[in-house]
Structures are given as C-alpha cells and as structure tokens.
Amino acid sequence: MNLSKKVFPGILPSVTLAASALLVGFSGQAFADCERGSLDAKYCDENGDMVADLPADKSEWVNPDTLIFAYTPVEDPAIYSDIWQPFIDHLSEVTGKDVRFFAVQSNAAQVEAMRSGRLHVAGFSTGPTPFAVNLAGAVPFALMGSDSGQFGYSLQVYTHVDSDIHEITDLKGKRVAHTSPTSNSGNQAPRALFPEMGVVPGDDYEITFSGSHDQSMLGVVAKDYDAAPVASEVVERMAARGLRRGRCAPGVGVRPVPDNLL
C-alpha cells in the first residue's frame, strides 16, 4: 500500500468493556414512570449515575445460560475470536456459564444486539459507548490498557503517498472518508477538532462514510478517497499483519489533548 500519514492532535480514549443491563437485570419491558435522564424509555436511572438501574421487581431479571460476547467491529473479526479466547475462558470460569464470541459487522448492529438481549458483554469503541449506555442499557466497567498502564490512541489522517495534502487545511475541497457516524476517531473527533485547525468537515470537504477504518485506508490506497481520519491502533494492527506500507509526512507530530476535551 502507498500511504502517507499525517498525525494530528488527539489522544483518544480506548475501548470500553460493558455488560448489558439485560445480563444484570432487564427483560426489556418499559418502565411507565421513573427518572431516567438521557436513557431510553426502557430504562430507569433513579440513583442518577447515568446508567440503567436494575428493576425493583426481581421477576424482571434475566439470567441466560449462555453469555454472548462481541468486540467492536474490526477489519477481520475471525482473528479477534482467537485473541479474545483467554478473556472468554476467564469469563466462563468466573460465571460458570458457557461464553461464546459473536462477530458484529457495525457499531449499530452491536448496540442493537445488546438492546434486544442477544448480546450480554461487549467491547465498545469510544464513539458508540454513549449510544450503548443510553439505548441498550450497557453498564461500562473497564477500559482496555497495556501492562504498563497506558491506554488510548491517536487520531491520524492518511493520504495517498502521491497526494498534495500536507496540512490539515489542504483537505478543503477533497474527498474525505469518515468511517461511520458513531465512530469517535473516524467521525466525531474530526468534527470536534478540525474546525479549530481551519477545516469544517461537511462544509469544507465532502464526507463519505466508508463503514470501517480499514475500508477508509484501503479506499485511500485505491484513490477512491483523497484522505481519511483513522484510529492509530487500527493502523498498527494492519501494519502488523503486513497490510500497510507507507511513509510519514515530515514535520508532523503528535500533541496530547486534555482527557476531558472529547
């Protein structure tokens, strides 16, 4: 692949692990009247912690014999079935239940699967996490990190190696691939960060949704898109598998952004 990487400001949170409210209690019946904040009408939040409460009536609780786990949509779901096997084995051991991996094809499908009760534990990427909490009753309990305690990833903008895009303002008038509406680094973060850098996504350039980070990068290689904002961790995974070859544009660096910016 012939790619040129531009790294722009943005240290972003990592993947969130969440358990479904269906696992810890909901059968899916709506509550008639309760405090719920921003949560869907299916859920209550009487204690104000911004996640769904257990129903007061224990008959509404559910306890599935088989737990379904899904990781956020990635370029090759089959690989992650093996990567997550140690976690699946551990979850099975501590719960005493059969645990199965389920590969999802989109963020929306992952949220809907949890909302409908077909998904019980999941690794959500940053962008879809609020949707999972508000619409599917997800209860976040952990962030993925390294053994050294580090977590997070950077927002990177990729162009073709022959591209005339060297600065963020060069995106004006170009064909730029965002991944999906709910993606953080692939859509929401560029919309939040780029205007301060002189480019307004959707106004200064046309947005095309590719569906995933890897499809955005492959589209840049094929020159279907002029550039694409992607998550660094996806780039690293593709590079490790020999699916990316490119060069970094000179004079471009990474600058951390306060944790509360996004």
Side-chain angles (χ1 to χ4, degrees):
M1 296 185 184
N2 293 318
L3 293 175
S4 178
K5 177 179 68 176
K6 280 64 171 173
V7 186
F8 296 104
I11 299 301
L12 310 177
S14 187
V15 172
T16 300
L17 290 175
S20 170
L22 284 159
L23 167 62
V24 296
F26 288 106
S27 65
Q29 295 184 2
F31 291 91
D33 185 23
C34 67
E35 294 294 330
R36 58 176 53 91
S38 298
L39 301 182
D40 186 81
K42 292 180 66 174
Y43 312 110
C44 281
D45 181 22
E46 296 286 3
N47 60 6
D49 64 355
M50 297 187 291
V51 297
D53 299 333
L54 281 168
D57 185 354
K58 291 186 178 181
S59 68
E60 296 293 325
W61 297 14
V62 294
N63 186 24
D65 294 328
T66 299
L67 299 180
I68 305 300
F69 171 78
Y71 185 57
T72 187
V74 290
E75 62 274 10
D76 192 344
I79 292 178
Y80 286 84
S81 177
D82 295 333
I83 291 176
W84 281 98
Q85 193 59 49
F87 173 79
I88 291 173
D89 292 341
H90 175 72
L91 186 60
S92 179
E93 180 180 353
V94 298
T95 61
K97 297 177 180 293
D98 181 30
V99 181
R100 299 181 184 179
F101 181 86
F102 174 66
V104 294
Q105 302 302 315
S106 69
N107 293 325
Q110 188 181 26
V111 172
E112 179 55 34
M114 182 167 281
R115 178 179 172 85
S116 65
R118 294 179 288 112
L119 175 62
H120 308 111
V121 182
F124 287 101
S125 56
T126 312
T129 296
F131 294 92
V133 170
N134 293 341
L135 300 178
V139 180
F141 62 87
L143 284 176
M144 289 175 58
S146 67
D147 292 338
S148 64
Q150 295 181 334
F151 67 93
Y153 55 88
S154 62
L155 164 60
Q156 299 179 346
V157 175
Y158 269 78
T159 68
H160 194 274
V161 69
D162 298 327
S163 172
D164 61 354
I165 299 173
H166 302 288
E167 303 291 341
I168 189 68
T169 52
D170 293 336
L171 293 176
K172 292 182 178 180
K174 301 296 187 179
R175 299 166 298 172
V176 181
H178 286 204
T179 57
S180 65
T182 59
S183 175
N184 191 29
S185 54
N187 182 55
Q188 297 182 28
R191 289 181 184 273
L193 296 173
F194 286 5
E196 296 181 1
M197 304 174 73
V199 174
V200 179
D203 291 340
D204 292 325
Y205 64 74
E206 180 182 357
I207 295 174
T208 300
F209 289 110
S210 68
S212 66
H213 293 269
D214 59 309
Q215 290 301 322
S216 288
M217 294 183 65
L218 293 173
V220 171
V221 172
K223 295 188 176 181
D224 293 331
Y225 316 121
D226 296 310
V230 295
S232 59
E233 61 179 18
V234 177
V235 177
E236 292 165 1
R237 289 198 297 261
M238 294 182 72
R241 295 169 52 205
L243 298 181
R244 179 187 64 84
R245 179 171 58 84
R247 62 174 176 81
C248 182
V252 179
V254 180
R255 177 169 59 85
V257 172
D259 292 338
N260 61 0
L261 181 61
L262 299 176

